[in-house]
């Protein structure tokens, strides 16, 4: 039996697919649901088999179709004060609450629903769905999925719509990014003999302060023309978590934290990587001058290509035709759109919901936005019939 788009969203939200956990129960459901409707699917598992992406194709086996792209993982709810069960959809006062309703199981549900509508329609151009994992920890699940779609010879779409929440505006550009897991290895001594030891925390603080200084420098300079529309219109560095130390009177042996960059299109990930690693090498040399066993490990854990506006892109043309949106929109958050574009697809970001609700306690998508998403899907199916 076919489910409505909202019923599909309720099922998807019920699976607690926080990035630290498996998403296989959700993938099992989507796979069985589509297969029962005679829609074949393809899984792309991660290396240890604990997670999987899924993609599918409906319509003629020809190039030139449309991909609806979404991610299945959500951010944690730990420490957040929710008024209801975050993994149960609750509708009240014109809002639909639940973890992922906005980011982005609401769109995932619409995409699955679209596949069922397309399977029952006489479409002339194919429709495809691509559901990834681990987007929330750096868009790391999308590249192997896209590689698989290309290498397995699935008819190549000419348009990808990544349904991140954009209030159904057509977003044609976003920042890129890189992220590093940092581990400062210090040398423990009694803190009264601070000068003979190496505090991993205090040395890590130097890198964090460097990040603060770089942010201030970037904010103070005039942005390049290509970057001026972004908010903020410059590259930013961020440290979101930090751990380390054993006691107040011991120089810290270890300090770990992540450093992430959101890079404007006028600058490159590679240039920022080089500048960052040069600073790391400078600090490591300072540590080793005190004790040779001290040092720094910098492990890159993600790299996200930016999304560059296209000239006469098929994705932008279709999305504007379906939404009636004419404004030029760019965003500072990253999406999997950059990975699709790097593989030669024409891509835009366009989905229901407000990004301001993403990752928040009591996350919601408004009923009005979800209905706009449903109308968009219906119009998309009609366009594929022509």
């Amino acid at each position: 039996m076919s489910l409505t788009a909202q019923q599909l969203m309720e099922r998807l939200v019920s699976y607690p697919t926080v990035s630290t956990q498996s998403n296989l129960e959700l993938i099992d459901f989507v796979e069985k649901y589509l297969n029962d409707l005679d829609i074949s699917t393809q899984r792309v598992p991660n290396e240890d088999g604990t997670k999987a992406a899924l993609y599918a194709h409906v319509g003629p086996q020809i190039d030139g179709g449309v991909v609806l792209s979404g991610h299945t993982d959500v951010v944690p709810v730990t420490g957040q004060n929710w008024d209801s069960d975050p993994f149960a959809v609750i509708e009240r006062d014109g809002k639909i609450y639940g973890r992922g309703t906005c980011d982005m199981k609401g769109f995932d549900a619409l995409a699955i629903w679209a596949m069922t509508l397309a399977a029952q329609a006489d479409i002339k151009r194919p429709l495809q769905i691509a559901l990834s994992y681990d987007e929330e920890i750096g868009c790391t699940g999308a590249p192997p999925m896209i590689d698989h779609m290309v290498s397995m010879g699935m008819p190549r779409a000419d348009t990808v719509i990544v349904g991140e929440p954009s209030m159904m505006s057509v977003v044609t550009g976003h920042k890129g990014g890189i992220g590093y897991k940092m581990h400062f290895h210090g040398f423990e001594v009694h803190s009264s003999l601070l000068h003979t030891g190496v505090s991993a925390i205090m040395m890590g603080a130097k890198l964090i302060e460097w990040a603060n200084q770089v942010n201030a420098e970037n904010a103070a300079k005039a942005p390049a023309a290509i970057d001026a529309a972004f908010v903020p219109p410059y590259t930013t560095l961020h440290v979101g978590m930090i751990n380390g130390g054993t006691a107040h009177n011991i120089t810290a042996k270890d300090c770990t934290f992540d450093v992430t960059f959101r890079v404007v299109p006028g600058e490159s990930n590679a240039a920022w990587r080089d500048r960052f690693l040069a600073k790391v090498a400078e600090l490591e040399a300072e540590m080793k001058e005190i004790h040779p066993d001290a040092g720094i490990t910098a492990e890159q854990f993600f790299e996200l290509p930016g999304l560059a506006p296209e000239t006469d892109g098929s994705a932008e043309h279709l999305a504007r035709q379906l939404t009636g949106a004419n404004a030029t929109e760019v965003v500072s958050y990253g999406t999997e759109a950059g990975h699709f574009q790097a593989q030669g697809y024409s891509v835009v970001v366009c989905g229901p919901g407000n990004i301001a609700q993403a990752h928040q306690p009591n996350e919601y998508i408004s009923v009005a936005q979800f209905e706009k998403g449903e109308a968009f899907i219906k119009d998309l199916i009609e366009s594929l019939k022509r």
Side-chain angles (χ1 to χ4, degrees):
M1 181 182 72
S2 295
L3 300 175
T4 66
Q6 185 160 336
Q7 288 171 332
L8 284 165
M9 176 169 57
E10 291 169 359
R11 291 295 299 271
L12 298 182
V13 170
S14 72
Y15 299 106
T17 53
V18 176
S19 303
T20 54
Q21 302 176 30
S22 173
N23 73 335
L24 292 184
E25 282 190 326
L26 183 150
I27 292 297
D28 288 343
F29 162 71
V30 177
E31 183 177 65
K32 184 177 188 304
Y33 179 73
L34 292 177
N35 291 170
D36 286 349
L37 295 172
D38 295 324
I39 300 172
S40 61
T41 57
Q42 177 67 59
R43 283 193 190 211
V44 185
N46 67 350
E47 289 185 0
D48 63 10
T50 58
K51 299 178 182 180
L54 180 143
Y55 63 86
H57 175 105
V58 167
Q61 293 293 314
I62 59 173
D63 294 343
V66 175
V67 178
L68 299 176
S69 166
H71 61 82
T72 61
D73 58 320
V74 295
V75 295
V77 298
T78 305
Q80 294 187 335
N81 185 22
W82 283 71
D83 295 332
S84 58
D85 181 353
F87 298 109
V89 168
I90 302 294
E91 182 178 339
R92 63 177 182 271
D93 300 326
K95 298 173 182 177
I96 305 171
Y97 293 89
R99 173 57 88 218
T101 51
C102 177
D103 184 20
M104 62 179 299
K105 290 180 176 178
F107 181 82
D108 293 344
L110 291 168
I112 296 165
W113 182 61
M115 294 292 283
T116 66
L117 297 182
Q120 300 165 10
D122 182 23
I123 57 174
K124 303 297 190 295
R125 296 171 59 205
L127 181 67
Q128 298 168 354
I129 188 174
L131 301 178
S132 70
Y133 58 88
D134 284 354
E135 190 272 350
E136 295 291 3
I137 60 174
C139 297
T140 57
M145 175 186 69
I146 300 168
D147 288 343
H148 200 275
M149 291 168 65
V150 173
S151 65
M152 293 301 288
M154 187 171 73
R156 187 176 181 88
D158 65 10
T159 292
V160 177
I161 297 172
V162 177
E164 292 280 2
S166 71
M167 297 293 286
M168 297 309 299
S169 295
V170 180
V171 172
T172 60
H174 67 61
K175 293 183 179 182
I178 49 176
Y180 278 88
K181 293 186 179 296
M182 305 303 301
H183 185 177
F184 280 68
H185 314 268
F187 181 71
E188 292 178 305
V189 298
H190 194 282
S191 61
S192 64
L193 300 173
L194 180 67
H195 66 290
T196 65
V198 179
S199 169
I201 290 177
M202 296 181 75
M203 292 304 299
K206 289 189 176 185
L207 185 64
I208 295 172
E209 178 53 24
W210 174 80
N212 285 327
Q213 292 171 0
V214 169
N215 283 337
E217 292 168 6
N218 288 350
K221 67 185 181 183
I226 193 174
D227 304 329
F230 286 86
V231 180
Y234 52 86
T235 294
T236 56
L237 286 65
H238 179 250
V239 176
M241 297 184 296
I242 186 168
N243 291 284
T246 53
H248 76 91
N249 57 356
I250 304 174
T251 56
K253 181 180 179 181
D254 297 289
C255 181
T256 59
F257 54 90
D258 296 347
V259 180
T260 55
F261 296 71
R262 294 186 183 272
V263 181
V264 289
E267 299 168 352
S268 73
N269 288 352
W272 277 107
R273 180 188 299 109
D274 290 346
R275 183 178 175 185
F276 174 68
L277 293 179
K279 183 63 180 180
V280 170
E282 175 189 318
L283 291 175
E284 183 174 55
E286 185 178 334
M287 295 167 71
K288 286 186 177 297
E289 281 186 9
I290 301 171
H291 198 281
D293 291 343
I296 306 172
T297 301
E299 177 190 357
Q300 183 175 310
F301 68 96
F302 82 86
E303 178 166 9
L304 178 65
L307 174 65
E310 303 169 3
T311 302
D312 298 324
S314 61
E316 181 180 352
H317 176 75
L318 176 63
R320 292 198 186 285
Q321 182 183 58
L322 296 176
T323 62
N326 293 313
T328 298
E329 300 277 353
V330 298
V331 294
S332 293
Y333 59 83
T335 79
E336 295 171 338
H339 285 302
F340 277 100
Q341 190 176 65
Q343 285 275 21
Y345 289 92
S346 177
V347 196
V348 294
V349 176
C350 183
N354 189 331
I355 193 64
Q357 291 304 317
H359 304 184
Q360 297 294 308
N362 297 321
E363 176 184 349
Y364 70 83
I365 186 171
S366 71
V367 172
Q369 275 291 299
F370 195 69
E371 289 175 347
K372 281 189 175 183
E374 290 178 310
F376 177 88
I377 292 299
K378 290 177 181 178
D379 289 343
L380 171 62
I381 301 301
E382 289 300 314
S383 75
L384 296 176
K385 292 179 180 179
R386 299 192 286 271

